[in-house]
C-alpha cells in the first residue's frame, strides 16, 4: 500500500538499487511491527483478559501495542475478543472495512475459532471469525491468558516482518454472511479421516499380534483410593415473612380458583403445608385471573409484593407455563404465579412455528421492569402480551423466523449435540 | 408529529430540531456489545432506547440438552467478572433438588471465594469508573490488586477468570495450604492501597462535579424496575440477599450492609467502595475461624434432580442473581434453566436516569451501573 510498493519499479533498474529497496523494507517493517495499535473492541470474557494484558502486570506496551484506539480509523489490529453472534456479524465486517490497510486480525479465544462452548444446539453464534473476515493469527483458550495473547501478537509480528515491497500486504475480502456455515462439510471430512485412521490402527494392531503372539504389556493400572467423605445434612432455611400455607390461604380466600401443581390426591392445604421452607410457593393461576391477582398482591398490605424478580416461561407439548416471580421487600416472602396457557391449536400446523400461540394480559403498567422481561418471553416463546406498550423482539433480529425456546424449534444452522 | 423509530414513545412539542444518535454496539463506554439509540435535543438526552441481543448466545436453549454439571461451566460465561459467584448460584439450586449439605470447611471456602470475587468485580468497577471519566490511571490501579486475586483464584481453582469450581456438596478441590496466608497478605496489601485509591478518587473535584446529582434514581423507581445490588442500595433500599435470605453461612458473620440515600452516580461509587471494606471484614473473620481439619465436601452423589422446580438466589457483586431450574422428569438433564441476571433491569431503568442529562453524563451513568452485557443477553 502506498508509495513504497512502487520502490522496486523505480529503483531496480538503477545499479545497486535493490539494496536500497531492502533497506526501505527493513525500515518500514521495523516501524510497522513495533507499533501495532489495536482497536478497543470486546464482546465478552476475552475482553477482560485483553484489558488485563494492557495493565501494569502484563504490560502490552512492551510490544508497542498499548495504544488502544476507540476509532477503527486509527487502528491497525483488530483483536476479536469474545463470541461473535449473527446479529453482531455485520458490525464486525463494517469495523474491519473501516480499518485502513495494512490491517491485521487476531482471533482471540475458542468462540472466535470454532464457536467454542457454543457449537451445539445454538442458533445465534457464528462458528469462527474466519467465516466473516480474513484472520491472521488464532489464539486458543477459553479465555486465553494474557501470555497467550502476547504469543499471538509476536507471531503476528513475525508475519509482518516477512512482508516486503515485492510481496506486500494483501487485502483479503470479507466473506458473504449467507454462506457462512461450512462446519458440516468439515465435520464430514473429519469423520472420514477418523475412520481411515481407525482402520489403519486396527490393521497395525492385527499385524503386531501376528508378529508377537506372546507379547504382554508391562503396564499395570494404578487406582488412587478415593477420599471418604461423610454425608452432610442441609442447613435449615431461615424463613422471613408469611409461611406458604398462610400465603396460600389468604390468596384462596380472595381467588378460590388458585391451586398448586400436585400429583397426589391429598387435600390441597396439606400439599401446600408439605412444601419445604426453602422452596417458594408456586400457585397455578387461570389466565383470566392473572392480572387481577397481580393487582391484588401488589396493593394488599398483607402481601405487599412490590418487587418483580423475573418473568419467564416454560414450553410443554400442549401448553405454556408462564412464571411471574414476585417478592415483598418489606416482609421478605416470595410468591410465584404460574399461568398455564393452552396453545392455540386452531392455527394450521405448518404455521404454528412462526405464530403466537397464546395470549395473556401484560403487567408492565404495574411493574415497569416487567416490560423488558415480557419482551424476552415474547421473543423466546411467542406469547402475546395484551396491552404491552412496546412489543418487539429484544434479543433476536426482527426478521428471525421462529421462537427459539420452544421445544420444537428448528434452525438450519443448528447442530444437535451427539448423545 | 413525525413517526419515531421503534422504541421511542415520548411525545412532546419542540421548537428545536431533534436528532438521533447511535451509540454502540462497538463503543468503549457501553461495556460490551450494547447499542443505545439516543434522541437528542442539542446535547441533552430526551429519550434513550437500549437495543440488546448483540451478544445473545442462546445459553438457555443449550442448557436444555446439557447435563446439570455442564451448565455450571456456562454460568461462568454469563457474568464473567463474578464467575465464581454465578457458579454458586447454580449449585445452590441443584443442592436444593439433591438435598445435600456442605461441611463447614466447604462453606468457609465458598464464602471466602465469594468475597474475593466481589472485591475483584468492584475493583474493575473502580478502574472503569475512573477510566470512563478520563482518568486512565484508575484502570491501572484497579487491575493491580485484581491480579493478586486472580493469582489466588488460579491457585485454588486452576483458572483465572472462568473458574467452574463449585459442585453440589462442596467444591472440586480442597484449598492449598498457602491459601489462608495469601489471603491474609492480600488483605493487608489491599487495606493500604484502598486508602490511597479513595484519596485519589473520592475527593477528586472532577469526580465530584461529574457524579453528584447525575443520574438520580429514586427509591420508588429503583424498586419498580427491579434493580438490585449496589444500585438499589444506593437509592436507599436496604436489600441484600446475604441478609434477608442468608445462603451458605452468611448469617454467622458480623458485617454491615452499606445503604446510601441520594441514588446518584456518586452514591453508587461510594457504596461499592464501602462494600469492598465490608468484604474485607468478612474475609478477616473467615481467616480467624477457618477450620484446619475436617472434610471440605460431602459425599459425592450423582447429580440427578427429582421432578420439580428449584429456585435459588444469591447476591453477586452486581445484585440479585437467581437461577430457576425446571426438572420435568427425574434425571441428569434439565427441562429448562432460566437465569435472572442483575444487569438487565439496570439497563431497562437507564432511560429514567439519563433523561435530561448531557451525553457525556451518560458515560458516567453507564459506568456506575457496572453492567455486563453477556449476562443480559445470555
Amino acid at each position: 500500500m502506498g508509495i513504497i510498493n512502487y520502490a522496486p519499479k523505480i529503483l531496480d533498474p538503477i545499479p545497486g538499487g535493490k539494496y536500497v529497496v531492502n533497506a526501505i523494507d527493513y525500515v518500514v517493517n521495523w516501524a510497522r511491527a513495533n507499533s501495532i495499535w489495536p482497536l478497543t473492541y470486546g464482546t465478552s470474557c476475552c475482553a477482560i483478559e485483553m484489558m488485563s494484558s494492557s495493565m501494569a502486570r502484563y504490560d502490552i506496551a512492551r510490544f508497542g501495542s498499548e495504544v488502544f484506539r476507540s476509532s477503527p480509523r486509527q487502528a491497525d489490529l483488530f483483536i476479536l475478543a469474545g463470541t461473535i453472534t449473527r446479529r453482531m456479524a455485520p458490525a464486525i465486517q463494517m469495523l474491519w472495512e473501516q480499518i485502513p490497510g495494512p490491517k491485521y486480525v487476531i482471533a482471540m479465544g475458542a468462540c472466535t475459532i470454532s464457536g467454542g462452548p457454543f457449537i451445539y444446539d445454538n442458533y445465534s453464534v457464528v462458528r469462527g471469525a474466519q467465516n466473516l473476515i480474513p484472520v491472521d493469527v488464532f489464539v486458543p483458550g477459553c479465555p486465553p491468558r494474557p501470555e497467550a495473547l502476547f504469543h499471538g501478537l509476536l507471531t503476528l509480528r513475525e508475519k509482518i516482518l516477512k512482508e516486503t515491497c515485492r510481496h506486500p500486504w494483501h487485502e483479503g475480502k470479507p466473506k458473504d454472511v449467507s454462506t457462512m456455515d461450512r462446519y458440516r462439510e468439515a465435520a464430514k471430512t473429519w469423520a472420514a479421516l477418523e475412520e481411515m485412521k481407525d482402520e489403519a490402527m486396527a490393521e497395525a494392531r492385527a499385524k503386531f499380534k501376528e508378529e508377537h503372539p506372546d507379547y504382554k504389556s508391562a503396564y499395570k493400572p494404578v487406582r488412587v483410593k478415593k477420599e471418604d467423605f461423610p454425608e452432610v445434612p442441609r442447613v435449615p432455611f431461615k424463613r422471613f415473612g408469611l409461611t406458604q400455607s398462610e400465603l396460600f390461604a389468604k390468596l384462596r380466600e380472595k381467588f378460590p380458583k388458585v391451586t398448586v401443581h400436585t400429583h397426589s390426591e391429598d387435600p390441597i392445604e396439606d400439599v401446600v403445608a408439605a412444601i419445604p421452607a426453602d422452596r417458594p410457593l408456586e400457585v397455578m393461576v387461570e389466565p383470566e385471573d392473572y392480572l387481577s391477582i397481580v393487582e391484588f398482591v401488589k396493593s394488599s398490605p398483607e402481601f405487599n409484593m412490590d418487587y418483580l424478580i423475573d418473568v419467564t416461561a416454560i414450553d410443554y407439548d400442549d401448553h405454556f407455563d408462564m412464571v411471574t416471580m414476585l417478592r415483598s421487600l418489606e416482609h421478605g416472602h416470595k410468591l410465584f404465579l404460574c399461568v398455564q396457557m393452552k396453545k392455540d391449536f386452531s392455527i394450521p400446523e405448518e404455521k404454528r412455528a412462526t405464530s403466537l400461540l397464546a395470549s395473556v394480559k401484560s403487567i408492565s403498567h404495574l411493574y415497569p421492569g416487567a416490560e423488558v422481561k415480557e419482551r424476552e418471553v415474547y421473543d423466546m416463546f411467542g406469547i402475546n402480551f395484551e396491552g404491552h406498550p412496546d412489543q418487539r423482539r429484544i434479543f433476536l433480529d426482527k426478521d428471525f423466523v421462529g421462537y427459539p425456546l420452544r421445544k420444537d424449534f428448528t434452525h438450519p444452522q443448528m447442530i444437535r449435540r451427539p448423545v | 408529529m413525525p413517526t419515531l423509530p421503534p422504541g421511542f414513545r415520548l411525545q412532546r412539542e419542540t421548537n428545536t430540531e431533534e436528532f438521533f444518535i447511535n451509540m454502540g454496539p462497538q463503543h468503549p463506554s457501553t461495556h460490551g456489545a450494547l447499542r443505545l439509540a439516543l434522541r437528542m435535543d442539542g446535547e441533552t438526552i430526551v429519550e434513550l432506547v437500549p437495543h440488546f441481543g448483540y451478544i445473545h448466545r442462546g445459553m438457555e436453549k443449550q442448557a436444555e440438552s446439557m447435563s446439570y454439571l455442564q451448565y455450571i461451566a456456562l454460568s461462568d460465561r454469563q457474568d464473567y467478572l463474578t464467575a465464581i459467584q454465578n457458579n454458586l448460584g447454580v449449585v445452590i439450586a441443584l443442592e436444593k433438588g439433591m438435598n445435600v449439605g456442605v461441611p463447614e470447611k466447604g462453606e468457609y471456602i465458598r464464602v471466602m471465594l465469594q468475597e474475593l470475587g466481589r472485591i475483584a468485580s468492584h475493583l474493575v468497577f473502580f478502574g472503569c469508573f475512573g477510566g470512563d471519566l478520563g482518568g486512565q490511571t484508575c484502570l491501572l490501579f484497579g487491575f493491580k490488586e485484581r491480579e493478586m486475586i486472580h493469582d489466588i483464584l488460579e491457585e485454588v481453582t486452576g483458572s483465572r477468570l472462568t473458574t467452574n469450581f463449585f459442585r453440589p456438596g462442596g467444591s472440586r478441590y480442597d484449598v492449598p495450604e498457602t491459601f489462608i496466608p495469601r489471603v491474609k497478605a492480600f488483605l493487608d496489601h489491599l487495606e493500604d492501597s484502598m486508602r490511597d485509591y479513595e484519596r485519589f478518587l473520592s475527593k477528586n473535584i472532577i469526580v465530584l462535579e461529574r457524579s453528584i446529582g447525575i443520574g438520580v434514581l429514586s427509591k420508588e423507581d429503583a424498586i419498580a424496575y427491579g434493580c438490585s445490588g449496589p444500585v438499589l442500595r444506593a437509592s436507599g433500599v436496604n436489600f441484600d440477599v446475604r441478609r434477608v435470605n442468608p445462603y451458605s453461612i452468611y448469617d454467622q458473620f458480623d458485617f454491615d450492609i452499606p445503604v446510601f440515600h441520594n441514588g446518584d452516580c456518586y452514591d453508587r461509587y461510594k457504596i461499592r467502595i464501602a462494600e469492598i471494606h465490608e468484604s474485607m471484614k468478612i474475609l478477616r473473620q473467615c481467616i480467624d475461624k477457618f477450620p484446619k481439619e475436617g472434610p471440605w465436601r460431602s459425599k459425592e452423589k450423582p447429580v440427578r434432580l427429582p421432578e420439580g422446580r428449584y429456585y435459588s438466589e444469591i447476591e453477586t457483586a452486581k445484585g440479585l442473581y437467581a437461577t430457576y431450574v425446571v426438572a420435568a422428569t427425574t434425571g441428569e438433564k434439565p427441562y429448562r434453566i432460566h437465569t435472572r441476571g442483575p444487569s438487565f433491569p439496570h439497563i431497562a431503568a437507564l432511560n429514567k436516569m439519563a433523561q435530561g442529562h448531557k451525553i457525556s453524563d451518560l458515560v458516567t451513568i453507564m459506568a456506575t451501573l457496572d453492567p455486563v452485557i453477556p449476562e443480559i443477553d445470555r
Side-chain angles (χ1 to χ4, degrees), chain A residues 39-45 48-49 51-52 54-58 70 72 83 85 87-88 91 95 111 117-125 142-143 145-146 226-227 229-235 237-238 240 261 263 278-280 282 306-317 321 323 325 327 329 332 334 336 338 367-369 371-373 376 380-381 389-390 392 394-396 404-407 409 414 417 419, chain B residues 6-7 9 25-26 28 32-33 49-62 64-66 70 74 77 80-81 92 95-96 99-103 107 124 128 139-140 143 146-148 150-151 154 160-162 222-228 232 237 239 243-246 251 295-301 307-311 313 320 322 324 326 328 333 335-336 338-341 344-345 348 374 376-378:
Chain A
L39 173 72
T40 315
Y41 160 89
T43 55
S44 48
C45 337
I48 298 294
E49 287 299 65
M51 275 163 83
S52 288
S54 65
M55 295 303 150
R57 161 84 67 98
Y58 292 101
S70 300
T83 320
T85 58
R87 200 166 179 197
M88 192 69 186
L95 283 170
C111 296
F118 305 103
I119 285 185
Y120 293 121
D121 291 313
N122 208 305
Y123 49 88
S124 65
V125 170
C142 189
R145 297 173 58 89
K226 268 200 174 176
E227 229 176 310
F229 291 110
E231 253 185 67
V232 185
R234 276 181 63 75
V235 183
F237 184 74
K238 219 164 142 193
F240 289 86
H261 176 73
H263 292 307
D278 60 351
R279 223 180 278 180
E282 190 165 319
D306 48 357
Y307 189 81
L308 178 92
I309 300 172
D310 211 343
V311 180
T312 185
I314 306 147
D315 177 43
Y316 291 99
D317 286 342
D321 273 6
V323 186
M325 311 176 185
R327 174 188 195 111
L329 285 182
K334 290 187 279 273
F336 288 13
C338 177
Y367 301 95
E371 200 184 303
V372 282
K373 311 263 186 199
E376 189 194 330
M380 293 289 144
F381 289 92
D390 184 21
R392 282 178 295 134
I394 185 163
F395 291 150
L396 297 163
L405 281 182
R406 285 189 192 165
K407 288 282 172 184
F409 170 75
M414 207 150 101
R417 182 184 291 274
V419 183
Chain B
R9 62 183 89 134
Q26 188 266 333
V49 175
H51 291 269
F52 305 97
Y54 285 91
I55 187 68
H56 172 67
R57 301 189 272 193
M59 281 187 193
E60 288 179 6
K61 184 72 186 171
Q62 275 193 291
E64 289 171 6
S65 62
M66 283 180 154
Q70 283 172 323
L74 271 197
R77 282 144 188 93
Y80 38 77
L81 291 177
I92 286 180
E95 277 171 359
K96 280 182 182 172
N99 201 18
V100 291
V102 186
E107 296 276 27
V124 173
C128 291
L139 268 173
L140 295 171
F143 273 74
R146 192 165 184 271
E147 289 296 338
M148 297 175 77
H150 274 178
D151 285 347
E154 194 175 2
R160 280 161 56 86
L161 204 66
T162 46
I223 295 173
Y225 276 96
C227 298
S228 56
L232 184 63
V237 184
F239 174 72
R243 188 52 57 79
V244 298
N245 269 346
D251 48 349
W296 46 274
R297 65 165 298 154
S298 74
K299 194 179 177 186
E300 209 164 341
K301 280 184 182 174
E307 187 197 338
R309 296 177 181 183
Y310 308 97
Y311 171 82
E313 53 183 25
L320 174 70
Y324 188 66
V326 181
K333 282 188 179 175
Y335 192 74
R336 172 159 159 67
H338 177 72
T339 300
R340 185 254 195 230
F344 199 6
I376 297 174
D377 293 351
R378 293 188 296 279

